[in-house]
């Protein structure tokens, strides 16, 4: 195998991150990827390598980062919280009165963010037209009964998270996540980040075929848990998406044209790292969140066996995925979200870190590329 050419910049003392990034290509199957790290407001790692379906990887290459979206949507909601527009412990009906149907009147905004709302899947079948229109999806969720009494259990709201959090943001501020992201996050920070994209955009690189499975037993156990009918419906939305062909299904032109703030953030590692850096400190004169709202949002709200789906040890705060055995990040205090395929973006308040990793090659089982980068970064701090 020819030597991997890693391009970009690495500050003194962070060379180990670049070494592990190279090893991801040599030993862990990466064929195109990027990694970026900010520490105390300065970018100390900004590297990329490999190719995409359209040719060489460029510093501006963007992917659909899938559930990394949820962390970015959470940041948008928390910015509105900090500005006094949303109270996390208020009933959702304070902002979205129709949501109270079928026994949901006491559900709080925090419960929505912590995957405790019992609305993992729409009760009605959604079409691509429904996804593009926004209102049919949020109306369906408002009208249906929860799968469990909100606040008494949790399960991953794989796609519906974006509509639930996004509609609260819209009702409270007048702006949907796509608009808030553009005006209050991407614009001020000068980052390349949007919900959805025209797939003809030259910066967009679709995800390719997944890497092979190296632990068949673990893969089989996870696949079996994902066959729960509620989980299947949560991923398929009743027909709009195909969970069996996730990457091809979700990256169709019609789907990528939608605003799906739970699953179709299109961005890159350097942009994600910068956004999270601005949640723990100031970057280029911009700070997105103060420490109090971050400390509150990263308190553990959901952990243990979920109502449905695999129990792999993940933990959530108010919207953010937190450090866990399955996804350590930089250990306790880390907050962010990973994304299908192996992407990861997070921040750490005490370490003053913002981190981003993107890949064009979905991981197999197991997939430790992002985790190895995090371990390398931890050794450098």
């Amino acid at each position: 195998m020819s030597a991997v050419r890693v391009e970009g910049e690495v500050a003194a003392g962070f060379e180990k991150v670049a070494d592990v990034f190279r090893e991801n290509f040599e030993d862990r199957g990466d064929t195109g990827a990027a990694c970026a790290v900010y520490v105390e407001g300065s970018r100390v790692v900004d590297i990329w390598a490999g190719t995409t379906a359209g040719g060489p990887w460029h510093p501006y290459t963007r992917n659909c980062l899938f559930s990394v979206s949820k962390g970015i949507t959470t940041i948008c909601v928390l910015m509105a919280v900090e500005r006094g527009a949303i109270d996390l412990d208020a009933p959702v009906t304070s902002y979205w009165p129709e949501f109270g149907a079928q026994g949901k009147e006491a559900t709080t905004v925090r419960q929505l963010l912590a995957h405790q709302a019992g609305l993992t899947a729409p009760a009605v079948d959604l079409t691509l037209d429904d996804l593009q229109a926004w209102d049919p999806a949020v109306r369906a969720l408002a009208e249906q009964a929860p799968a469990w009494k909100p606040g008494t259990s949790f399960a991953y709201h794989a796609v519906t998270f974006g509509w639930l959090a996004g509609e609260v943001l819209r009702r409270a501020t007048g702006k949907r996540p796509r608009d808030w992201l553009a005006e209050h996050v991407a614009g001020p920070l000068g980052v390349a980040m949007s919900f959805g994209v025209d797939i003809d955009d030259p910066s967009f690189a679709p995800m390719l075929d997944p890497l092979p499975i190296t632990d068949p037993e673990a893969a089989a156990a996870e696949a079996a848990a994902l066959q729960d009918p509620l989980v299947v419906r949560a991923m398929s939305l009743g027909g709009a998406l195909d969970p069996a062909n996730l990457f091809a299904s979700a990256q169709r032109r019609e789907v990528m044209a939608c605003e799906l703030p739970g699953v179709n953030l299109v961005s890159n590692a350097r942009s994600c790292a910068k956004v999270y850096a601005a949640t723990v400190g100031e970057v280029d004169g911009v700070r997105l969140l103060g420490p109090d709202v971050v400390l509150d949002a990263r308190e553990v709200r959901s952990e243990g066996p979920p109502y449905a789906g695999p129990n792999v040890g993940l933990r959530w705060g108010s919207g953010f995925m937190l450090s866990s055995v399955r996804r350590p990040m930089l250990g306790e205090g880390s907050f962010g979200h990973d994304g299908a395929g192996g992407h990861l973006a997070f921040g750490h308040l005490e370490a003053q870190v913002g981190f981003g990793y993107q890949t064009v090659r979905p991981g197999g089982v197991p997939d430790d590329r992002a985790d190895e980068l995090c371990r390398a970064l931890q050794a450098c701090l």
Side-chain angles (χ1 to χ4, degrees), residues 180-264:
W180 187 282
L181 179 65
E183 294 178 25
H184 299 297
V185 180
L189 285 171
V191 298
M193 187 173 279
S194 61
F195 291 116
V197 72
D198 178 346
I199 64 171
D200 293 327
D201 186 318
S203 73
F204 178 67
M207 299 286 282
L208 304 176
D209 293 334
L211 292 166
I213 291 168
T214 58
D215 188 339
E217 186 175 336
E222 193 161 319
L226 291 171
Q227 291 309 303
D228 182 301
L230 187 60
V231 177
V232 172
R233 189 166 185 85
M235 299 294 290
S236 70
L237 307 177
L241 301 176
D242 180 5
N245 298 287
L246 174 65
F247 297 104
S249 172
Q251 294 181 115
R252 285 174 293 165
R253 179 182 300 276
E254 300 86 354
V255 178
M256 290 307 302
C258 298
E259 177 185 4
L260 303 175
V263 291
N264 78 345

Side-chain angles (χ1 to χ4, degrees), residues 30-288:
D30 249 338
T31 57
C35 181
V37 180
Y38 278 74
V39 178
E40 296 182 347
S42 297
R43 195 164 63 193
V44 297
V45 176
D46 182 23
I47 51 179
W48 60 91
T51 60
T52 72
W57 193 284
H58 295 286
Y60 54 78
T61 295
R62 297 194 294 162
N63 302 106
C64 177
L65 302 183
F66 291 91
S67 286
V68 169
S69 310
K70 294 179 178 69
I72 300 301
T73 295
T74 295
I75 289 170
C76 295
V77 171
L78 293 177
M79 291 175 71
V81 169
E82 196 164 54
R83 298 177 187 203
I86 297 173
D87 179 349
L88 291 181
D89 296 309
V92 175
T93 54
S94 300
Y95 312 100
W96 182 3
E98 306 94 310
F99 183 85
Q102 307 248 29
K104 302 194 303 296
E105 63 278 352
T107 306
T108 66
V109 177
R110 193 185 298 279
Q111 287 167 346
L112 288 190
L113 296 179
H115 300 273
Q116 297 175 3
L119 299 170
T120 57
V124 299
D125 295 346
L126 296 180
T127 66
L128 277 174
D129 287 343
D130 293 333
L131 269 57
Q132 292 165 353
W134 182 273
D135 286 340
V138 299
R139 184 168 57 249
L141 293 171
E143 291 174 351
Q144 75 186 56
W148 63 85
K149 182 180 178 181
T152 63
S153 188
F154 82 98
Y156 188 49
H157 288 54
V159 183
T160 59
F161 177 96
W163 289 312
L164 295 169
E167 184 66 3
V168 171
L169 181 67
R170 185 183 79 83
R171 296 294 184 109
T173 70
K175 296 185 183 297
R176 291 201 328 222
R178 176 181 282 176
D179 301 322
W180 187 282
L181 179 65
E183 294 178 25
H184 299 297
V185 180
L189 285 171
V191 298
M193 187 173 279
S194 61
F195 291 116
V197 72
D198 178 346
I199 64 171
D200 293 327
D201 186 318
S203 73
F204 178 67
M207 299 286 282
L208 304 176
D209 293 334
L211 292 166
I213 291 168
T214 58
D215 188 339
E217 186 175 336
E222 193 161 319
L226 291 171
Q227 291 309 303
D228 182 301
L230 187 60
V231 177
V232 172
R233 189 166 185 85
M235 299 294 290
S236 70
L237 307 177
L241 301 176
D242 180 5
N245 298 287
L246 174 65
F247 297 104
S249 172
Q251 294 181 115
R252 285 174 293 165
R253 179 182 300 276
E254 300 86 354
V255 178
M256 290 307 302
C258 298
E259 177 185 4
L260 303 175
V263 291
N264 78 345
L265 180 79
V266 177
S267 191
N268 50 33
R270 56 164 51 164
S271 296
C272 288
K274 189 173 187 179
V275 167
Y276 273 99
T279 68
V280 299
E282 189 174 292
V283 183
D284 295 342
V286 176
R287 180 159 189 169
L288 301 179

Side-chain angles (χ1 to χ4, degrees), residues 222 310-314 323-328 338 365 367 371:
E222 193 161 319
N311 179 16
V312 293
L314 292 171
S323 176
S324 66
V325 173
R326 176 64 175 262
R327 185 58 81 189
D338 62 8
V365 179
D367 178 12
D371 294 340

